[in-house]
Structures are given as C-alpha cells and as structure tokens.
Amino acid sequence: MGRVSRVEGLLARMTLVEKLGQLTMSSAGFTVTGPVIAGDSTEAIRRGEVGNLLNLVGGEPVRALQRVAVEESRLGIPLLLAFDVVHGHRTLFPVPLAEAGALDAELWARTARAAAVEAAADGIAMTFAPMLDVARDPRWGRGVEGPGEDPMLASRFAAAKVEGFQGGDLTRDDALAAVAKHYCAYGAVTAGRDYASVDVSERTLREVYLPPFDAALGAGVAAVMPAFTDLAGVPLTAHRGLLRDRLRRRLGFEGVIVTDYHAIAELIVHGVAADLAEAAALALEAGVDIDMMSGAFRHGLPLALERGRVDLQTIDAAVRRVLTLKERLGLFADPYRRGKAALPAAVRARHRALAREAACRSLVLLKNDREVLPFGPTLRRLAVVGPLADAPLEMAGPWPGAGADDAPVSVIAGLRAALPAVQIHCAAGVPIGTPAQAVAAECAGPPDYPAAADSAPPPESDLAAALGLCESADAVVLCVGEAARMSGEAASRGALDLPGSQREFAEAVCRRAAARGVPVIVVLFSGRPLAVPWLVQAADAVLAAWFPGSEAGAAIADVLCGRVGPSARTAITWPRAVGQVPLFFGERPSGRPANRDDPYTSKYLDFPVAPLFPFGHGLTYGRFRYTGLRANRERIEEHESLEVSVDLVNEGAHAAEETVFLFTHPRTSSVSRPILELKAFAKVALAAGASGTVTLRLAGADLRTLGADLEPQFEPGAVDLLVGPCADREQLHVLGLIKERAGR
Ligand code: BGC
C-alpha cells in the first residue's frame, strides 16, 4: 500500500487513545537513564496506548513485543524500537570525542554503519545518536558523547554519522533512523553542570551550536531530540521558535521530534507549566511528536484538548509524522525485518578489526620527549602500572551499548599479545578512586558524589608492588585517569585532575623512574581533557587514550610498539587549570590581547592564558616541516573557490600521517570574528624522508559571515589563511587573500 494512503487510512480509523499511543515512548525497563522507570508495557502496547519503546534489545524479546503490537493490538501498528547506540552496539568503538579527533569522515561513517548493522540485528530501528553538542567546557561530562569544540568539525561529523547510521535507505534491514541530539546548545550549560540552564547569544547559537544540526538535516536525519535544558528561559522541549518555526517551517524538517527522557514532565519543574496537561500542550504546540517517558501526551493531552489548549489537527500532524517514519523504516511492510538473524561471525570479526583501526586512529600522542616511543627492539622488561592497566570494562566508555559479547581488551592484555618476548609485570598500585575523594580535602561539607566501593585506600602491598616494578623495568607504562562513568550524562566535574589518590601514585612512579633514568609513558584515560600539567611535565610521553572501546588494549599496544603510528588530534582544547575554562580556539579577540609585559591585558594573575594543548594538537612518529604555502588565486568572489597548497617533508625517522588544518581570520570585518575559524582539514601519509603536498579547498561561500543584523553576508576585505598542524597561531603559516564582490 502507498505510504500516504496507509498512514491516512490508519489516521482515519484511530481513536484518540490510539493516536496518543503513537506519540508515546516507554522504556522496556532494560536500562534506566533517568528518574522514571517504566513497568512492563505489554498490556499498554496491546491496548494501543504505547507505540514506541526504548531500551529493549535482542531479536527474541523484540519479536515477542512486536508480535503483541502487530497481532494483538486493534490496528496492528508496529512498534518503533529505539536505543542509544552512541559509540557502538556490541562492538564498541572509541567514544565520539576521541573518534572526532581521527578527522576522518569515512571512518566516522564506517563505524556508524557497523553499529547500525549490529543494533538492527538486535531488533533496533532507531538510535538516539549522533550527539552533536559542541562542547567547550570539559567540566561537562557529556562532551565525551560528541564531536568536540568546533562547529565545522562537528558538522562534518554530523553528516558522516547520519549517513552511516541510516545507510542511505531507511527501509534496509540494517538501517537505523538517526536522531540528532540534543537540539541545541546543551554543551553550554551553566558552569558545566549537567542539566543546568543555558543562555547564549543568538549569534553564538547560529555560529556555533546550530551548524552541526543543520548538517545533520542536510544529510537527511530522520529525527531530532530537543535538549533537556532551557535556552534563555525557554525549555527546548517547548521551544516554538527553534522547533516549530526554525526546524519545521524554515528548514522544512518533516521528520520526528522525540523528547529527551521525561523532559515534558520536567517543564513543570522548569516553572513554565502548572501541570502535566499544560506541559503536554506546550511541547506539542512547539512541534514535539514523541513523548519519551513522561506519560504527558498519554495522560495530559486529553485534558489539554478539553481545555482547548490544543486541537486535534496538531495531534494528527504529529501522529502522521510518527507513522510516516515507521513506514519509511519499512516496518509496515515487515515489522520483523530487523533482528531476524544473528550476525555471521565473519561480520563480527570485521567489526572488531574496524574497532581496532578506529581506536588506533583516535589515540592522541600528546608528548613524546626524546622520542621514547615507539618502543625499540632493546626493550626487555616492562612495568605496566596504574589502576587502568588491567581494567577491561573501563575501556568501554560511558555508553557501552547493549553490552559486548567479549570484554574489551585491557592494556596489559594488549601489550602481552604484542610483545611476547618482553617480560611484562603489572600492578594497579591504587584504585581509580572517586573524583570527590581528590577534592574532599579542599571542599567544605560533604561532597555530592557518592564514595565508590573502590575508594578505600589500597593495601600498602599493592602500592609497594607497583613502585617495586618500576625499579627493575626498562620502561614504565603508567595507566591512569578516569573511570568510564566519570564522564557522560550526569557526570560533570568541578576539578579536572586525576581522581582518588592517583596523583600521589603517579608522582611516586615518575620519581622512581626518573631516579633510574627509565622513561615513563603515561596512557591517560578520560572522557574529557584533564588539566594535568604536572603529569605532562613529569612523564616522558603521554598518550591520550580517551576510552577506545572493544579493542582498547590491542590498539594502544599497536601504537606504543609502532605497528601503527599515532595520527589523531585532540578535538577539544586542553586547559592547564579549571580556572581557564571555558577555553577554546574560536574566541573573539580582546581589545587588549594578553601581553606578558602589560598588566592591563586579558590574562590571569596566577596562570597562563595558553592551554596545555591547543585544539588539533597530536604528535606523530614523524617530524613534519611545512614550506611553500600558496593559493591558486589571490582574490575570491562568493561563488568561486580556491585551492590552498602546502609542501611537507617528513624529517623524522618513521613514516607518519600528518593532518593539516586551514583556518581563516578576516583582518577587518564589521563584526569582530573569532581569532581562528576552522574551514578545512586534510591528511597526508609520508615515509621517513619523503615529501608531499597537501591541498585544501575553500569555497567563497565558506567565507560568509553573519552581519550585525545576523544575516549572512559576504563582506569584501582582506582575510588571512592560516595553515598548519593545530590551532596554535605560532605554528601556523599565513597567506593573504582578498574577498571581493562579484563582477568587480
Ligand atoms: C539522555 C539522552 C538519551 C536518553 C535515552 C537521556 O537521559 O539525555 O541522550 O538518548 O536518555 O536513553
């Protein structure tokens, strides 16, 4: 039957209860991510009161409930099953913040595709991903779920992920409907505290927070999820201006808008609705279609109708969109199409290989003094110490999908497999500890963060064993950082140091090793940049591993041993201290830029303005020299495009892959522009001693800015093109370009 006629036919036959059922999403009780735990929804599904489920996973259980919906409910409308497939489903890929640093759109799409294949095999039809919140405040734990601080990078990431999840055709048995979340500016929560209020300027909203969502729309994203928070007083769940007016009317988005968990009921707590009926009316009127876990549409909309706060046409329009999505997903044609068969072993093996590749390409080498890495052939005895050395489950990161079939590979397991001829000894030394423990001494009053079971002091013997290992090793791999659950939702931190007593431990390890002249290689796990200048200084090498996923230890060993060279860059600026936060390269210039010799300039009395590591930083095993920056034109009009080229020589001893960034900055413009704006990036792989050329493309349209009236404009004038390895101005090569009006 044709899509339109089936949907319209159903609509004509539906009762109000059945319509509201299609606008309701309940949890199957498999996972709990919020304050409401749904009971068994089977009866409600049979009565047509629940049309969508989250958190039910697995071919068999999905089929059983789908059968209730299709065979036992009056209209037989199939269920839409959704799940958070954020960085993998069974096979876990690196957390998005890490994967963003791979700067590889093809890789981003491939991992999303693999995740979709696995989730679809588990009966899932929709993923609450990609998370596209630009995040510039590492205190906010959810930065780990998204693509980092830059809107251009985030936009590329958005398009690739949507294409990967959706696979170009939603009816495919292995396609998932993607949900672009959390619309929008969730990353700007006050003081980095999760769920807190957001207030950003209209300009920042348009220039920074909205572009990744627009890119997702451009890629055909099936659904959008409004953020939990308010934006300048208007909760996004009830934001007519952004949902109904911008998304639907102006941008023509015809997909589904699904709320975040319990968000409609929380409109009452936000203080914009007096009761559930009012909350439901506000959300529906703003453009929301599916109510996740509030029961507000189901229980509140009938009253809102009676009160005349909403009308049936608005309800019908929402139902139409939900049914259309189900139709697009091929659910009417075959409700059981997803989750029919387990994935062949060969596919799973391919996904594990991809997980290893993605993890290798996401590890960021922050420091490598005296080129202590990769390990040389003379290595005989290796000490692998620290609480994350043998912690396979922590490698998974904060959204461990539906649970891996096998535990992720730990660092110690990876190293043992890679270095069979080396004697490797391992000791944790101290537990991971809790964030609160590390700051307890400085905080008045009890911390809010509950003490974890492992926060007890370690037995002296553990500590002594770990330090003892450093006495006899040729090199020490020190694995420290956060536990997986210390970032992600509801995991904001006020300090950005190592949790628990890891600092004291790490200092003791570095002292012991330094006394013997043995190198310390830190492998740092975290869902955010950690402000650890003392650690960076004390260690010889530092590898930011983030949370690499299923193949963590194997990939870390690949990179430490030099089987694969490190190539990733940090997609977020690393601060030295929490006091610098928010710290990002796209800041606007001050009228009094920081100047060490002038006290009345924009800086701190107590720490430097410069970050610990700039956006884009990441070393390779090569050493690149940039020369001959040039462009194929000196002037550009809006409809034209330009190629910027630069020659690179790898003067290092190893083959390596370099990432080259192109930033711009107008010398003058009617509205002050950020110090650097990222416009393009490209990669080149060069053998030791080899040279090559990187060419980056810039369209005139990329040089449009928002005028004082917030309208796009192409303002004539001189622009600097800045090319180099990261967002540190000192490392960038500069070339001038003239923007001019068409036809001059
Ligand atoms: C999170 C969303 C997630 C949803 C469903 C919420 O708590 O904010 O990102 O998609 O739960 O699990």
Side-chain angles (χ1 to χ4, degrees):
M1 198 185 299
R3 175 186 295 181
V4 174
S5 54
R6 175 160 19 221
V7 168
E8 293 308 321
L10 277 169
L11 252 177
R13 294 166 59 208
M14 290 169 90
T15 63
L16 179 63
V17 166
E18 285 163 339
K19 287 178 181 173
L20 300 182
Q22 290 306 308
L23 306 187
T24 296
M25 179 175 278
S26 285
S27 170
F30 179 83
T31 311
V32 178
T33 51
V36 179
I37 304 168
D40 184 359
S41 304
T42 313
E43 266 315 305
I45 292 170
R46 191 172 282 125
R47 290 194 300 267
E49 292 170 10
V50 168
N52 313 283
L53 279 184
L54 77 152
N55 294 342
L56 183 70
V57 176
E60 197 38 54
V62 164
R63 257 193 309 281
L65 270 194
Q66 192 65 286
R67 202 169 293 126
V68 174
V70 173
E71 294 173 23
E72 299 174 26
S73 76
R74 190 178 76 91
L75 294 172
I77 301 173
L79 290 168
L80 172 65
L81 289 124
F83 194 63
D84 288 275
V85 184
V86 176
H87 52 97
H89 184 67
R90 299 280 178 188
T91 307
L92 299 175
F93 300 106
V95 289
L97 180 59
E99 208 196 9
L103 294 151
D104 184 340
E106 200 199 315
L107 180 75
W108 298 332
R110 281 163 67 210
T111 55
R113 187 84 292 275
V117 166
E118 292 189 3
D122 256 342
I124 304 302
M126 177 155 104
T127 170
F128 301 122
M131 191 277 217
L132 301 175
D133 298 310
V134 168
R136 298 177 159 188
D137 187 336
R139 291 172 299 183
W140 190 51
R142 302 203 74 170
V144 69
E145 299 172 50
E149 78 178 50
D150 181 68
M152 179 268 178
L153 194 169
S155 301
R156 293 278 179 91
F157 186 86
K161 287 292 175 196
V162 170
E163 282 155 20
F165 285 131
Q166 299 195 163
D169 172 10
L170 284 182
T171 57
R172 282 169 66 147
D173 294 355
D174 62 6
L176 298 185
V179 179
K181 72 183 189 184
H182 307 85
Y183 188 77
C184 56
Y186 187 13
V189 283
T190 302
R193 210 172 351 98
D194 206 4
Y195 314 123
S197 180
V198 172
D199 199 343
V200 297
S201 72
E202 185 64 27
R203 173 177 297 278
T204 299
L205 193 66
R206 294 193 197 188
E207 291 182 349
V208 177
Y209 293 105
L210 286 172
F213 290 93
D214 293 350
L217 254 55
V221 74
V224 171
M225 179 189 290
F228 277 128
T229 56
D230 75 296
L231 177 61
V234 183
L236 272 313
T237 305
H239 207 299
R240 290 181 189 210
L242 279 167
L243 300 181
R244 191 190 59 185
D245 299 344
R246 184 176 193 277
L247 210 51
R248 289 224 192 278
R249 295 195 179 150
R250 193 134 63 76
L251 302 180
F253 177 62
E254 292 177 344
V256 159
I257 298 181
V258 50
T259 71
D260 208 338
Y261 203 103
H262 199 234
I264 301 184
E266 288 170 22
L267 293 176
I268 302 171
V269 192
H270 276 288
V272 299
D275 58 19
L276 208 57
E278 184 62 20
L282 286 177
L284 185 82
E285 288 292 328
V288 166
D289 302 312
I290 297 182
D291 164 8
M292 186 202 293
M293 293 304 292
S294 283
F297 279 0
R298 228 172 123 191
H299 302 298
L301 280 184
L303 188 56
L305 265 173
E306 258 174 50
R307 288 181 189 163
R309 283 288 289 108
V310 293
D311 55 34
L312 254 181
Q313 287 91 302
T314 315
I315 292 177
D316 283 353
V319 175
R320 193 173 284 118
R321 284 189 288 265
V322 174
L323 294 181
T324 303
L325 177 59
K326 291 185 177 186
E327 181 78 82
R328 288 180 66 204
L329 283 161
L331 288 168
F332 286 103
D334 177 5
Y336 308 106
R337 66 189 323 143
R338 293 177 183 78
K340 269 190 181 147
L343 282 183
V347 174
R348 304 205 131 182
R350 270 209 304 279
H351 291 177
R352 282 300 281 230
L354 177 60
R356 186 162 175 172
E357 181 192 340
C360 282
R361 296 182 69 75
S362 303
L363 300 170
V364 182
L365 184 63
L366 294 173
K367 174 179 179 180
N368 190 19
D369 266 14
R370 294 175 284 114
E371 303 198 348
V372 293
L373 289 176
F375 291 141
T378 55
L379 184 68
R380 291 285 167 270
R381 291 167 67 94
L382 188 63
V384 184
V385 298
L388 286 139
D390 189 11
L393 297 181
E394 301 298 344
M395 304 293 104
W399 275 114
D405 300 329
D406 311 307
V409 181
S410 67
V411 180
I412 187 68
L415 283 170
R416 285 203 168 120
L419 297 167
V422 175
Q423 280 184 46
I424 303 181
H425 297 284
C426 179
V430 292
I432 295 173
T434 68
Q437 221 180 328
V439 293
E442 296 157 36
C443 284
D448 294 332
Y449 193 92
D454 70 353
S455 65
E460 287 292 318
S461 56
D462 272 16
L463 190 59
L467 294 177
L469 292 183
C470 305
E471 296 292 343
S472 54
D474 308 331
V476 178
V477 175
L478 171 60
C479 303
V480 288
E482 298 181 313
R485 282 299 302 143
M486 288 176 195
S487 60
E489 186 174 352
S492 292
R493 292 188 60 194
L496 297 175
D497 208 337
L498 294 180
S501 53
Q502 290 186 61
R503 177 169 181 162
E504 293 71 28
F505 173 67
E507 283 172 338
V509 167
C510 291
R511 264 197 311 272
R512 292 270 175 123
R516 290 188 51 244
V518 164
V520 174
I521 291 106
V522 170
V523 181
L524 185 60
F525 294 89
S526 62
R528 50 165 65 80
L530 293 179
V532 286
W534 57 270
L535 182 62
V536 172
Q537 193 169 5
D540 297 277
V542 180
L543 185 71
W546 315 99
F547 293 105
S550 296
E551 291 288 331
I556 289 166
D558 284 342
V559 167
L560 296 186
C561 300
R563 197 189 70 83
V564 178
S567 60
R569 306 306 182 84
T570 175
I572 184 166
T573 306
W574 283 60
R576 286 168 196 277
V578 177
Q580 293 179 309
V581 165
L583 181 65
F584 51 96
F585 76 88
E587 198 181 318
R588 289 195 159 70
S590 163
R592 295 182 173 195
N595 174 352
R596 153 201 310 244
D597 303 321
D598 183 348
Y600 292 96
T601 58
S602 179
K603 59 188 185 181
Y604 300 104
L605 290 177
D606 45 4
F607 27 72
V609 173
L612 186 56
F613 298 109
F615 169 93
H617 174 72
L619 305 174
T620 67
Y621 290 152
R623 211 171 44 248
F624 291 91
R625 192 156 58 85
Y626 288 61
T627 53
L629 178 63
R630 58 200 179 272
N632 65 349
R633 55 168 72 238
E634 289 171 358
R635 318 180 85 83
I636 192 168
E637 295 177 8
E638 192 172 3
H639 63 278
E640 293 174 332
S641 66
L642 166 89
E643 283 185 352
V644 183
S645 301
V646 65
D647 300 324
L648 274 82
V649 190
N650 180 0
E651 295 179 337
H654 301 269
E657 186 181 80
E658 174 77 342
T659 306
V660 180
F661 294 96
L662 167 63
F663 301 94
T664 59
H665 180 70
R667 295 204 192 131
T668 54
S669 51
S670 52
V671 175
S672 170
R673 296 302 304 168
I675 296 166
L676 293 174
E677 293 180 66
L678 180 61
K679 298 295 176 187
F681 50 82
K683 287 170 179 274
V684 61
L686 291 178
S691 50
T693 300
V694 170
T695 299
L696 302 124
R697 205 178 156 277
L698 181 69
D702 296 335
L703 295 170
R704 282 188 200 130
T705 55
L706 297 184
D709 56 0
L710 295 179
E711 289 304 320
Q713 60 172 16
F714 187 83
E715 206 173 14
V719 182
D720 282 336
L721 306 175
L722 304 101
V723 174
C726 65
D728 171 13
R729 263 200 102 118
E730 312 259 290
Q731 298 185 53
L732 295 170
H733 300 246
V734 188
L735 189 71
L737 175 73
I738 306 294
K739 282 167 78 181
E740 56 186 20
R741 276 196 220 295
R744 294 195 67 184

